[in-house]
Amino acid sequence: MISVAKKQGRGHTTRSLVLGYAWPALAAVAVLAVTIATITGLTQRSSASAESAQHPKPLPVVTAPAPPLPSCPANATGKAIVVGLASQHMALCEDGRQISDVPVTTGSVDRGAGTPLGTWQIESHDVDRTLSGPGYTVFVHYWLHLFGDIGFHDSPWQKFPYGDTTKYRTQGSEGCIHVPGDQIKHLYEWAGDGTPVTITA
C-alpha cells in the first residue's frame, strides 16, 4: 500500500510539473496569436487605405440649372414673340398665352455678334433671299425682317442643335435668329408684319 501511494504521489507530481511548464507555453502561444491577428488587421487596414488613396471616390457632379424659358407678357392682346438668349428658345404668344415653344440659335456673343436686346416688330417678309454681310453670304428660304440686318430666317447649314445654350456663343449667327426648318414656315405664316418681338437676356 505504501509503495502504491508513493507511485501515485510521483504521478501527481509529474502531472503538476508538466502543467507547470505547459501554462507559460500556452500563454506564449496565445500572445503570439493575438500579435499575429493584430498585425494582420493593421496590414488589411493599411492595404484598404492605400487602395482608397489610389482609387478615390469620384466627386458628385453638380449640374447648373437650365436657364428659364421665355414667358409671354401677361394681359397682352394679339400676337407677340419673345426670344430668350440665355435659354436659346422662342415663345409664340397669343393674348398673353404661350401657344408654342421653339428652340432657336441667336448671335455668336463670343465673336462680338450677339443678338441685340430690346423690343421691335416684324417689318417685312420675304422668301428665297440671299443675305450678305461682312464675311458671309447665305441663301435662306424664309426671311422676317426686324431692323438693320437682323431678322428671323432658316439656317440649313447649321451643324449643332437649335436651343444649344453653349455652342451658339462661338458658332451662332451674325446677329439674326436662326429658326429650325420645320418651324420657320409656320412662323412666316403666323406672324404678320407689325407683330412685336421682344429679345431678352
Side-chain angles (χ1 to χ4, degrees):
M1 294 297 292
I2 295 173
S3 176
V4 172
K6 287 182 179 180
K7 288 181 180 179
Q8 289 175 347
R10 285 197 297 272
H12 178 73
T13 302
T14 302
R15 287 195 298 273
S16 298
L17 289 173
V18 170
L19 291 174
Y21 286 114
W23 279 115
L26 291 174
V29 170
V31 170
L32 180 60
V34 171
T35 302
I36 292 173
T38 302
I39 293 173
T40 301
L42 291 174
T43 302
Q44 290 176 345
R45 286 195 293 271
S46 177
S47 299
S49 298
E51 184 176 357
S52 177
Q54 292 175 359
H55 305 284
K57 292 182 178 180
L59 295 175
V61 177
V62 179
T63 304
L69 297 177
S71 58
C72 297
N75 302 320
T77 58
K79 297 179 179 179
I81 300 171
V82 182
V83 178
L85 300 187
S87 66
Q88 291 292 284
H89 273 251
M90 170 177 68
L92 304 186
C93 313
E94 276 194 45
D95 298 328
R97 296 179 300 103
Q98 181 173 324
I99 63 169
S100 183
D101 171 67
V102 181
V104 296
T105 296
T106 60
S108 179
V109 292
D110 288 354
R111 294 190 294 108
T115 302
L117 303 178
T119 299
W120 294 273
Q121 65 180 18
I122 295 176
E123 297 291 343
S124 63
H125 291 57
D126 203 356
V127 294
D128 297 336
R129 175 170 176 164
T130 298
L131 307 176
S132 61
Y136 72 92
T137 298
V138 295
F139 177 82
V140 300
H141 295 289
Y142 297 95
W143 167 250
L144 292 82
H145 181 229
L146 292 178
F147 66 94
D149 56 358
I150 304 297
F152 296 94
H153 63 80
D154 50 309
S155 55
W157 59 86
Q158 184 168 311
K159 302 299 183 183
F160 62 93
Y162 296 88
D164 190 302
T165 58
T166 301
K167 291 184 177 179
Y168 88 95
R169 301 185 65 88
T170 56
Q171 303 175 46
S173 73
E174 298 298 325
C176 287
I177 302 159
H178 291 178
V179 182
D182 60 346
Q183 296 287 336
I184 187 65
K185 182 180 180 181
H186 170 70
L187 178 67
Y188 185 90
E189 295 173 347
W190 177 83
D193 289 353
T195 301
V197 177
T198 300
I199 300 173
T200 67

